[in-house]
Amino acid sequence: AGGDSNAARGKWSAVTGGDENNAIGPSTSVAGGTGGAAYGQFSSVAGGGFSAADGVSSLAAGNSNTALGDYSSAIGGVENTARGQGSSVTGGVFGEAKGSASSIAAGEYNVAGDDDSFIGAGCGNLTGAGTPNTGSCSFGPDEAILGGLGQQLTASYSTYPAG
């Protein structure tokens, strides 16, 4: 429909705009952005740069994000991966939701490795087995408020739990 150097290769696939986007699998779509690729059946890329969706996946925005698991989504941030079935990463940098139904909201270098796990923010956090990657934390101040009313945080690496 628009854009430049786009290709809809799969049966019932579509690319509606952007630049160098590819809808490769059947029933896939890319709505815009640059360098997006929708591989698996029913996968989609709605924007961003150099992002990819595979399986029954949805990928909406951000830069170099990847949604690999069925029903997974990576909808913001940079270089995030939603690998587990039903997993999601909504923002942050270098986050990875590996477990089934796991999710990461923000932060950097966070890994939600266990099923049904959640990381709200921070840096180098890990659910599940392995070693947290805390050596690359750079963005700070990594504060998280998880609920409540009228809460305020001013210290680096601080958290206020819900309640």
Side-chain angles (χ1 to χ4, degrees), residues 93-94 108-111 122-126 131-140 142 157:
V93 182
F94 306 114
E108 55 182 318
Y109 297 100
N110 291 319
V111 177
C123 183
N125 296 306
L126 171 68
T131 303
N133 178 8
T134 59
S136 299
C137 298
S138 61
F139 291 106
D142 294 313
Y157 304 107

Coordinates of all heavy atoms in Angstrom, one line a residue, residues 93-94 108-111 122-126 131-140 142 157:
V93 N 15.4 -2.4 28.1 CA 16.5 -2.7 27.2 C 17.1 -4.1 27.5 O 17.3 -4.4 28.7 CB 17.6 -1.6 27.4 CG1 18.8 -1.9 26.5 CG2 17.1 -0.2 27.2
F94 N 17.3 -4.9 26.5 CA 17.9 -6.2 26.6 C 17.2 -7.1 27.6 O 17.8 -7.9 28.3 CB 19.4 -6.1 27.1 CG 20.2 -5.2 26.2 CD1 20.7 -4.0 26.6 CD2 20.4 -5.5 24.8 CE1 21.5 -3.2 25.8 CE2 21.2 -4.7 24.0 CZ 21.7 -3.5 24.5
E108 N 16.6 -3.0 32.6 CA 17.6 -3.5 31.6 C 18.2 -4.8 32.1 O 18.3 -5.0 33.3 CB 18.6 -2.4 31.4 CG 19.3 -1.9 32.7 CD 20.3 -0.8 32.5 OE1 21.1 -0.9 31.5 OE2 20.3 0.1 33.3
Y109 N 18.5 -5.6 31.1 CA 19.2 -6.9 31.4 C 18.4 -7.8 32.3 O 19.0 -8.5 33.1 CB 20.6 -6.7 31.9 CG 21.5 -6.0 30.9 CD1 21.8 -4.7 31.0 CD2 22.0 -6.7 29.8 CE1 22.6 -4.0 30.0 CE2 22.8 -6.1 28.9 CZ 23.1 -4.8 29.0 OH 23.9 -4.1 28.1
N110 N 17.1 -7.7 32.3 CA 16.2 -8.5 33.1 C 15.8 -9.8 32.4 O 15.6 -9.7 31.2 CB 15.0 -7.8 33.6 CG 15.3 -6.7 34.6 OD1 16.1 -6.8 35.4 ND2 14.6 -5.5 34.4
V111 N 15.7 -10.9 33.1 CA 15.3 -12.2 32.5 C 14.2 -12.8 33.4 O 14.5 -13.2 34.5 CB 16.5 -13.2 32.4 CG1 16.1 -14.5 31.8 CG2 17.6 -12.6 31.5
G122 N 14.1 -2.4 37.2 CA 15.4 -2.6 37.7 C 16.4 -3.1 36.7 O 16.2 -3.0 35.5
C123 N 17.5 -3.7 37.2 CA 18.6 -4.1 36.3 C 19.2 -5.4 36.8 O 19.4 -5.6 37.9 CB 19.7 -3.0 36.2 SG 21.0 -3.5 35.1
G124 N 19.4 -6.3 35.8 CA 20.0 -7.6 36.1 C 19.2 -8.5 37.0 O 19.8 -9.3 37.7
N125 N 17.9 -8.4 37.0 CA 17.0 -9.2 37.8 C 16.7 -10.5 37.0 O 16.7 -10.6 35.8 CB 15.7 -8.5 38.1 CG 16.0 -7.3 39.0 OD1 16.6 -7.4 40.0 ND2 15.5 -6.2 38.5
L126 N 16.5 -11.6 37.8 CA 16.3 -12.9 37.2 C 15.3 -13.7 38.0 O 15.4 -13.8 39.2 CB 17.7 -13.7 37.2 CG 17.7 -15.2 36.8 CD1 17.3 -15.3 35.3 CD2 19.0 -15.8 37.1
T131 N 22.5 -17.1 36.5 CA 23.2 -16.0 37.1 C 22.7 -14.7 36.6 O 22.8 -14.5 35.4 CB 24.7 -16.1 36.9 OG1 25.2 -17.4 37.3 CG2 25.5 -15.1 37.6
P132 N 22.3 -13.8 37.4 CA 21.9 -12.4 37.0 C 23.0 -11.7 36.3 O 24.1 -11.8 36.7 CB 21.4 -11.7 38.2 CG 21.2 -12.8 39.2 CD 22.1 -13.9 38.9
N133 N 22.7 -10.9 35.2 CA 23.7 -10.1 34.5 C 23.6 -8.7 35.1 O 22.8 -7.9 34.6 CB 23.4 -10.1 33.0 CG 24.3 -9.2 32.3 OD1 25.3 -8.7 32.8 ND2 24.0 -9.0 31.0
T134 N 24.4 -8.4 36.1 CA 24.3 -7.1 36.7 C 25.5 -6.2 36.3 O 25.5 -5.0 36.6 CB 24.3 -7.2 38.3 OG1 25.5 -7.9 38.7 CG2 23.0 -7.9 38.7
G135 N 26.5 -6.8 35.6 CA 27.7 -6.0 35.3 C 27.5 -5.0 34.2 O 28.3 -4.1 34.1
S136 N 26.4 -5.0 33.5 CA 26.2 -4.1 32.4 C 25.1 -3.0 32.7 O 24.7 -2.3 31.8 CB 25.7 -4.9 31.2 OG 26.7 -5.8 30.8
C137 N 24.7 -2.9 33.9 CA 23.7 -1.9 34.3 C 24.3 -0.5 34.1 O 25.3 -0.2 34.7 CB 23.2 -2.1 35.7 SG 22.5 -3.7 36.0
S138 N 23.5 0.3 33.3 CA 24.1 1.6 33.0 C 23.0 2.8 33.0 O 23.4 3.9 33.1 CB 24.8 1.6 31.7 OG 23.8 1.3 30.7
F139 N 21.8 2.5 32.9 CA 20.8 3.5 32.7 C 20.3 4.1 34.0 O 20.0 5.3 34.0 CB 19.6 3.0 31.9 CG 20.0 2.7 30.5 CD1 20.1 1.4 30.0 CD2 20.2 3.7 29.6 CE1 20.5 1.1 28.7 CE2 20.6 3.5 28.3 CZ 20.7 2.2 27.9
G140 N 20.1 3.4 35.1 CA 19.7 3.9 36.4 C 18.6 5.0 36.3 O 18.3 5.5 35.2
D142 N 16.8 3.1 38.1 CA 16.2 1.8 38.4 C 15.3 1.8 39.7 O 15.5 1.0 40.6 CB 17.2 0.7 38.5 CG 17.9 0.5 37.1 OD1 17.1 0.4 36.1 OD2 19.1 0.4 37.1
Y157 N 18.0 2.1 42.7 CA 17.7 0.7 43.0 C 16.8 0.5 44.2 O 17.0 -0.4 45.0 CB 19.0 -0.1 43.2 CG 20.0 0.1 42.1 CD1 21.1 0.9 42.2 CD2 19.7 -0.5 40.9 CE1 22.0 1.0 41.1 CE2 20.6 -0.4 39.8 CZ 21.7 0.4 39.9 OH 22.5 0.6 38.8

